[in-house]
């Protein structure tokens, strides 16, 4: 006769299950992860970081026609904003590959193409937000600026201001409470508009008192001195305003991490770390750090791009395997963050199906909205396979869902992988305040996500 404990499903806090050693490993892992967060404030920087780490571990850039024997480690970047890495396995690609796909873009404020203006002797940059932001969260916080400017002669200049010790930062103002009678009556989306997110960048004039646009003139002079760029060069620039500052431990117990961009760099780092440790996996392991997830995965660097097929069909060709035969035997963990249950906003979540901080990797059988619409909805067998795999590798995990039925919803790259004929499921780190300038995760959950991806690669 089965006992009560055998019959009931009971979730467990990972702190109650893990050994002291493993908890320490998770905290050590978190230290490395925070370095990644600090150095990878944009998708371009994340890819640069990945290339550097990969080359240190013996990965080489893939070139067409390269011979790939088991144990070979290759990578390929896409326009500097996405990267695919592979470690060739002992088995044929006809038996499929194990993929982890995470994204390295994050919500932010992009500068417009003609961004610079002056009003009442203050200079500003105009912005167009990228991804799903709550606009009121982006005012009155220090901002840094990262990106590239392509000059008239075609040379590319890296711009990075606000995250180095001693750098100035930038700022979007808000109304003082003494004068917010009208603002306070508005809805949040009316009170904070996209066109209102203008970044304050200067207040010191240049030239004679009778001149016009003297603040703007000073800004342009400073930019020219430092970067050799002129106003017209903004036309061919990609500059991203992101929260300035470093990743920090959160809580007296240091159990959590607070930082910008943890959606989805928590999973991106986990996937990268896991693949860099592989030597000769049974099946070929593939890690994808993609771009444009936050705006629908379109575009040449997004997960819907043929860049992925090109890379995979190149690998398949070396073994005389048809790409789609490889895909239909493959598995993809769509490694993306999920929503952690927040007691401050309990009303939007259904407790028994929500992910909790410190309960491990969150697995989402489906995402989407209004009746799972727009979701690839993984099969029971896929969840069953993961249960066994995680059991074998000691991965703490939990089921997750994005809020109550009909409360909202969202999507990931899962469906774009699944639509290719690849068995796919979503799983990732539970996050508090997802998409906020400063997001919260748990160290144990981040570490478990790394362990889960390693388990997927090792089988
Ligand atoms: Mn995400
Ligand atoms: Mn997101």
């Amino acid at each position: 006769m089965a006992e009560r404990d055998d019959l009931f499903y009971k979730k467990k806090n990972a702190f109650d299950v893990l050994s002291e050693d493993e908890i320490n490993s998770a905290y050590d892992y978190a230290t490395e992860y925070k370095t990644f967060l600090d150095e990878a404030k944009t998708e371009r920087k994340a890819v640069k970081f990945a290339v550097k780490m990969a080359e240190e571990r013996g990965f080489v850039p893939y070139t067409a026609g390269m011979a790939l024997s088991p144990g070979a480690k290759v990578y390929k970047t896409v326009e500097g904003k996405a990267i695919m890495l592979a470690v060739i396995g002992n088995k044929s690609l006809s038996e499929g590959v194990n993929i982890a796909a995470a994204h390295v873009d994050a919500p932010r404020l992009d500068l417009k193409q003609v961004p610079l203006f002056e009003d009442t002797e203050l200079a500003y940059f105009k912005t167009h937000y990228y991804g799903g932001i709550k606009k009121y969260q982006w005012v009155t916080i220090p901002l840094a600026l990262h990106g590239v400017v392509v000059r008239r002669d075609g040379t590319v200049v890296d711009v990075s201001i606000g995250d180095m010790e001693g750098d100035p930062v930038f700022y979007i103002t808000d109304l003082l409470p003494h004068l917010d009678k009208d603002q306070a009556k508005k809805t949040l989306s009316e009170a904070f508009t996209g066109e209102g997110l203008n970044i304050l960048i200067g207040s010191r004039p240049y030239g004679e008192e009778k001149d016009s646009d003297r603040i703007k003139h000073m800004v342009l002079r400073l930019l020219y001195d430092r970067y050799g760029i002129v106003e017209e060069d903004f036309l061919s620039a990609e500059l991203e305003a992101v929260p300035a500052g470093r990743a920090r431990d959160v809580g007296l117990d240091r159990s959590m991490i607070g930082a910008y961009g943890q959606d989805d760099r928590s999973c991106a780092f986990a996937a990268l770390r896991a693949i860099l440790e592989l030597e000769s996996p049974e099946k070929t392991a593939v890690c994808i750090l993609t771009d444009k997830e936050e705006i629908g995965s379109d575009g040449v660097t997004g997960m819907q791009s043929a860049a992925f097929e090109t890379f995979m069909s190149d690998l398949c060709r070396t073994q005389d395997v048809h790409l789609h035969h490889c895909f239909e035997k493959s598995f993809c963990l769509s490694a993306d963050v999920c929503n952690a249950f927040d007691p401050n906003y309990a009303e939007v979540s259904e407790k028994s199906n929500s992910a909790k901080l410190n309960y491990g990797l969150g697995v989402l059988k489906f995402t989407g909205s209004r009746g799972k619409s727009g979701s690839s909805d993984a099969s029971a067998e896929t969840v069953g396979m993961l249960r066994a795999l995680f059991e074998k590798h000691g991965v703490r995990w939990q089921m997750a869902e994005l809020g109550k039925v009909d409360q909202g919803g969202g999507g990931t790259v899962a469906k774009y992988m699944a639509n290719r004929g690849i068995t796919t499921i979503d799983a990732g780190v539970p996050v508090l305040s997802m998409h906020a300038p400063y997001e919260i995760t748990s160290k144990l959950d981040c570490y478990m996500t790394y362990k889960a991806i390693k388990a997927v690669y090792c089988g």
Side-chain angles (χ1 to χ4, degrees), residues 103 105-107 132 263-264 293-294 336-337 411 434-435 439:
H103 65 92
D105 60 320
D263 172 8
D264 184 33
E293 192 279 339
E294 295 295 357
D336 205 343
V337 298
M434 194 195 294
H435 283 207
E439 302 170 312

Side-chain angles (χ1 to χ4, degrees), residues 342-387:
D342 186 341
N344 267 346
Y345 300 95
E347 65 279 9
V348 303
S349 294
E350 185 262 295
K351 230 171 181 173
S352 48
N353 282 282
S354 288
K356 289 172 73 179
L357 230 58
N358 291 322
Y359 278 64
L361 170 85
V363 174
L364 294 101
K365 186 175 177 295
F366 56 87
T367 59
S369 56
R370 293 163 285 101
K372 305 189 180 181
S373 188
S375 165
S376 57
D377 203 0
S379 70
E381 288 82 351
T382 306
V383 181
M385 182 275 289
L386 275 189
R387 277 179 73 185

